[in-house]
Amino acid sequence: QVQLVESGGGLVQPGGSLRLSCAASGSSFTIYAMAWYRQAPGKQRELVARVTRGGSTNYADSVKGRFTISRDNPKKMGYLQMNSLRPEDTAVYYCNLEYSSYIYWGQGTQVTVSS
């Protein structure tokens, strides 16, 4: 069983930066692909960024060039560095681990971009 805990969300002005962290418990962290999703009010949850266990990354078009996903396997940590934040980035951000039929979610952390 894997448990995920996100942190690092908060209120930031447009153009600002935040770094989200995802702490994983349990074994075999390295076998999982890790991703960040977000869900804004009234909208469906969407993929923001994903990093495979081999280190390949992909991003939603809306965040390319602004967000960077990374992982630290020995520490069982995942990160999302968010720069040049925009009001439309406001959402609850969720950490996700996935391997085969095994999918785990964190509880989410709120990111609000507003002046």
Side-chain angles (χ1 to χ4, degrees):
Q1 188 71 13
V2 174
Q3 290 187 327
L4 303 174
V5 178
E6 301 99 333
S7 60
L11 173 64
V12 63
Q13 292 187 342
S17 298
L18 283 175
R19 188 194 195 205
L20 304 183
S21 298
C22 175
S25 65
S27 61
S28 305
F29 177 78
T30 56
I31 71 171
Y32 294 96
M34 193 202 77
W36 289 91
Y37 286 75
R38 67 186 180 187
Q39 188 167 19
K43 294 187 176 181
Q44 289 189 333
R45 192 172 297 189
E46 63 175 358
L47 176 67
V48 176
R50 185 173 183 266
V51 56
T52 68
R53 59 180 182 173
S56 298
T57 59
N58 63 283
Y59 297 88
D61 287 343
S62 59
V63 307
K64 281 181 181 176
R66 301 188 297 122
F67 291 10
T68 302
I69 189 171
S70 61
R71 61 190 295 168
D72 185 333
N73 288 336
K75 294 183 178 179
K76 298 182 183 179
M77 293 290 297
Y79 305 98
L80 185 68
Q81 178 67 44
M82 305 186 295
N83 298 328
S84 302
L85 282 161
R86 305 167 180 170
E88 54 264 39
D89 295 318
T90 295
V92 178
Y93 284 70
Y94 298 90
C95 179
N96 163 283
L97 291 186
E98 183 173 343
Y99 173 73
S100 184
S101 61
Y102 297 93
I103 303 173
Y104 301 99
W105 294 93
Q107 84 289 349
T109 185
Q110 176 71 46
V111 172
T112 302
V113 185
S114 175
S115 55

